[in-house]
Amino acid sequence: MTATIPLAPGHRKGAPRLTPQVVPGVHRVEHAFTNCYLLADGDAWTLVDAAFPKTWGPLVHAAHEVGLRMRDLQGIVLTHGHFDHVGFAERAIKELGVPVFVHAEDRRLAAHPYRYKREHTPFVYPFLYPRSLGAVGGMLRAGALSVKGVEDVSELPGDGMLDLPGRPEVVFTPGHTFGHCALLLRDRETLLSGDAIVTLDPYKGIPGAQIIAGAATADSAMALRTLDTILATGARTILPGHGEPWRDGVEAAVASARAIGRS
């Protein structure tokens, strides 16, 4: 894997960083323990997820580092409508005029990204899982409490290839939210999984392939059933919404998530 490149001065945990070519044609920007991905196709590119308001500057820096121009961004695909994925989407619409895509079931959530269904209150998790405090602090510094919802969106289909750079295929993966979608890059055997399966749960601070805790998941039983859909992709690499890339194959990732289960 290409070495990561800091996108801001200092070495504070959760500071923004870039991993160029995490798989061919895909660049990863991590900020505050949350990932977004740049899918490049020549000069044109697609962005998957919009992290936090303060991720905008690091994104512009990252695009420059990998030879992409903001004016060539063709669209933003939101895997789901939570605040830590909607981030700067409204700013991108206003400044660049790019379309933002989200599944119909998450359209209202994207407009109101703090009004989401969850199984448990998130406020007890820092006490139960003190390791989560680093992630919580990083998210707050990145603007987690100041995300503007986005209403001017286009709806993703439930499946099929998108006419966007990178040619991602929509994989409907409900559970974390009811309109959650992953994106499959079939020619690279890579799944951009959003929060359907992650390798770091920011609510627990625990690494490993897993579904996210009920503090932010609408229906954990549904999320666990959705692992069958993820397994069927046959992906060799998983690029999650939170945590490091998983390169040990989808079978091992799903087995890990099932073993960890709901929380």
Side-chain angles (χ1 to χ4, degrees), residues 110-194:
H112 306 281
Y114 299 105
R115 300 181 191 174
Y116 55 89
K117 179 175 170 49
R118 54 194 172 212
E119 296 174 328
H120 309 301
T121 174
F123 301 110
V124 300
Y125 277 75
F127 299 99
L128 297 174
Y129 302 97
R131 292 172 63 181
S132 69
L133 289 171
V136 171
M139 290 180 174
L140 292 174
R141 289 190 295 272
L145 297 181
S146 59
V147 175
K148 294 181 179 179
V150 56
E151 295 188 8
D152 184 14
V153 297
S154 300
E155 292 183 0
L156 285 174
D159 56 39
M161 184 177 290
L162 299 177
D163 186 20
L164 287 170
R167 308 290 286 175
E169 297 179 38
V170 176
V171 181
F172 187 48
T173 49
H176 182 62
T177 67
F178 294 121
H180 192 288
C181 292
L183 296 173
L184 179 64
L185 306 179
R186 192 174 296 274
D187 60 337
R188 281 154 283 187
E189 298 179 285
T190 295
L191 183 72
L192 285 74
S193 62

Side-chain angles (χ1 to χ4, degrees), residues 159-248:
D159 56 39
M161 184 177 290
L162 299 177
D163 186 20
L164 287 170
R167 308 290 286 175
E169 297 179 38
V170 176
V171 181
F172 187 48
T173 49
H176 182 62
T177 67
F178 294 121
H180 192 288
C181 292
L183 296 173
L184 179 64
L185 306 179
R186 192 174 296 274
D187 60 337
R188 281 154 283 187
E189 298 179 285
T190 295
L191 183 72
L192 285 74
S193 62
D195 287 2
I197 188 167
V198 297
T199 58
L200 174 71
D201 184 341
Y203 290 88
K204 296 185 293 183
I206 296 174
Q210 60 197 293
I211 65 168
I212 285 186
T217 291
D219 188 329
S220 291
M222 181 184 292
L224 289 169
R225 292 195 299 272
T226 284
L227 294 174
D228 287 336
T229 302
I230 292 173
L231 185 64
T233 67
R236 297 182 62 185
T237 300
I238 296 175
L239 302 180
H242 303 277
E244 297 297 314
W246 178 276
R247 300 183 184 276
D248 293 332

Side-chain angles (χ1 to χ4, degrees), residues 27-50:
H27 313 287
R28 170 190 176 220
V29 173
E30 180 198 9
H31 186 203
F33 304 90
T34 303
N35 299 317
C36 49
Y37 297 95
L38 292 68
L39 312 184
D41 186 357
D43 291 334
W45 57 291
T46 301
L47 180 69
V48 179
D49 286 328

Side-chain angles (χ1 to χ4, degrees), residues 6-8 16-18 29 31 36 38 45 47 50 52-71 73 88 91-92 95-96:
L7 294 172
R17 58 180 184 153
L18 164 68
V29 173
H31 186 203
C36 49
L38 292 68
W45 57 291
L47 180 69
F52 300 98
K54 292 183 180 178
T55 307
W56 178 261
L59 174 72
V60 173
H61 186 178
H64 176 76
E65 285 284 338
V66 298
L68 298 173
R69 296 174 297 189
M70 296 301 292
R71 69 186 186 192
L73 175 60
F88 57 76
R91 179 174 181 177
E95 295 193 13
L96 302 175

Side-chain angles (χ1 to χ4, degrees), residues 9-22:
H11 301 283
R12 175 180 281 177
K13 290 184 68 176
R17 58 180 184 153
L18 164 68
T19 307
Q21 303 291 348
V22 64

